Amino acid sequence: MNGWTFHGGRLSKAKAHFGNVGAQWLDLSTGINPHAWPGVSNLSIDWRSLPDVKALEALEAAAAHHFGVDPAHICAVPGTEVGLRMLGDCLPGPAAHVVPSYRTHGEMVMGSRPIAITDVVTIAGSTLILANPNNPDGRVLTASELAGTLQHISATAGWLVIDEAFADATPDISLASQISDDRPLVIFRSFGKFFGLAGVRLGFVLGPRTLIARFRAKLGSWPLSSAAIAIGAAAYRDERWIEDMRTRLPIDAKALSDMLLRHSLKVIGECPLFGLIEVDDAATVFERLARRAILTRPFDHNPSWLRIGLPDSEEALARLDDALTYG
């Protein structure tokens, strides 16, 4: 099953491996909002000119307002994957990353050591990397808990790096408002997951202005495409859609969780964009669903885990329900 555990979204590989299964594929492997922001078709993109500096500044201002941070402390990057790896060259000293979580967290700093969330208090003089909400179990640390961790890290001359890729649906847990020049705090935010437009490849790094300046120097004059700038700026300004989605996603997540529980599946973690189940043999369930053209996400570090993203409609949820019932 190793071919499916590196990351989600390997739909073309699934089609090639499982062949013609007689149905359109339902990709539930990524944890990306299935209800994508609908305004893309209304935008006019100028593909002939280089991306405009003022337009990039407007995007960062719109995103900063959404996150609750001063625009001076934010830098747009072509996806948080790129930003996280760039950060590895910017922060000094040893590092530790909380596991289980994103694979990238363990690769961004050479020699970073994996630790459990319960061992965070042992970190001293190091960069600590964690996700909130976490992937794949949806574990959430409150803003108050994170503030305590930041205080501990700061007192030991370390840095706290928080990947808030899934935080848009639950903004009260974010520590973005704590970003300042005198705090060793760096936050990453993803555009594609909440807005359902992962192909735009847009993310943001939030941190002290000295760090932001280093990112800008490394990225150069045109870090983003004109399309990413236009789509991101318009989406972050669409406050009604954002509020509506923050209401809708927990409802959809509960419907998924309730359906999984009806099948006596043990839901051990969840957030508004996915659920994590524990079964005796996740590979068997993965295979059974794939034979019904439903792609989910298994994990090599725990063969009993299977993450299932939100279906995009009642019909898709019913199809998953039917596949779990009849295989």
Side-chain angles (χ1 to χ4, degrees), residues 10-27:
R10 297 192 165 191
L11 199 55
S12 60
K13 181 176 181 178
K15 291 177 180 178
H17 181 82
F18 293 101
N20 182 9
V21 292
Q24 183 174 350
W25 277 86
L26 177 60
D27 187 0

Side-chain angles (χ1 to χ4, degrees), residues 229-253:
I229 293 171
I231 293 169
Y236 280 121
R237 293 189 189 113
D238 194 346
E239 294 183 359
R240 172 169 290 187
W241 183 90
I242 291 169
E243 289 305 314
D244 288 347
M245 196 52 55
R246 284 173 174 165
T247 299
R248 177 175 187 172
L249 289 176
I251 295 172
D252 288 357

Side-chain angles (χ1 to χ4, degrees), residues 197-326:
L197 298 170
V200 173
R201 304 312 305 141
L202 175 60
F204 299 87
V205 55
L206 287 58
R209 283 177 293 179
T210 53
L211 179 68
I212 295 302
R214 294 186 67 181
F215 266 82
R216 294 199 189 285
K218 284 177 173 289
L219 288 166
S221 299
W222 302 288
L224 303 178
S225 70
S226 295
I229 293 171
I231 293 169
Y236 280 121
R237 293 189 189 113
D238 194 346
E239 294 183 359
R240 172 169 290 187
W241 183 90
I242 291 169
E243 289 305 314
D244 288 347
M245 196 52 55
R246 284 173 174 165
T247 299
R248 177 175 187 172
L249 289 176
I251 295 172
D252 288 357
K254 186 177 186 307
L256 172 63
S257 181
D258 288 347
M259 185 274 290
L260 295 172
L261 291 172
R262 287 198 300 272
H263 286 276
S264 298
L265 293 170
K266 185 179 180 181
V267 180
I268 62 170
E270 55 191 329
C271 88
L273 286 172
F274 60 79
L276 180 70
I277 62 172
E278 185 175 58
V279 295
D280 290 337
D281 186 1
T284 298
V285 179
F286 170 84
E287 185 92 9
R288 181 153 52 96
L289 292 175
R291 297 295 176 189
R292 298 286 295 269
I294 300 174
L295 186 62
T296 54
R297 172 69 192 280
F299 297 91
D300 51 11
H301 59 76
N302 194 323
S304 64
W305 283 9
L306 194 68
R307 193 187 66 190
I308 303 175
L310 293 187
D312 62 2
S313 63
E314 291 183 3
E315 291 76 15
L317 182 65
R319 183 176 158 193
L320 175 62
D321 189 2
D322 183 73
L324 289 170
T325 301
Y326 300 107

Side-chain angles (χ1 to χ4, degrees), residues 104-128:
T104 302
H105 293 178
E107 299 174 349
M108 55 188 279
V109 179
M110 184 70 69
S112 180
R113 63 185 178 93
I115 64 168
I117 188 64
T118 52
D119 294 331
V120 164
V121 294
T122 67
I123 297 300
S126 297
T127 294
L128 173 64

Side-chain angles (χ1 to χ4, degrees), residues 94-157:
H97 57 283
V98 174
V99 294
S101 193
Y102 293 98
R103 188 185 303 270
T104 302
H105 293 178
E107 299 174 349
M108 55 188 279
V109 179
M110 184 70 69
S112 180
R113 63 185 178 93
I115 64 168
I117 188 64
T118 52
D119 294 331
V120 164
V121 294
T122 67
I123 297 300
S126 297
T127 294
L128 173 64
I129 307 158
L130 59 85
N132 195 51
N134 193 44
N135 175 46
D137 58 7
R139 181 261 302 140
V140 168
L141 299 174
T142 66
S144 177
E145 289 172 322
L146 285 171
T149 300
L150 175 60
Q151 185 177 19
H152 165 72
I153 292 293
S154 181
T156 62

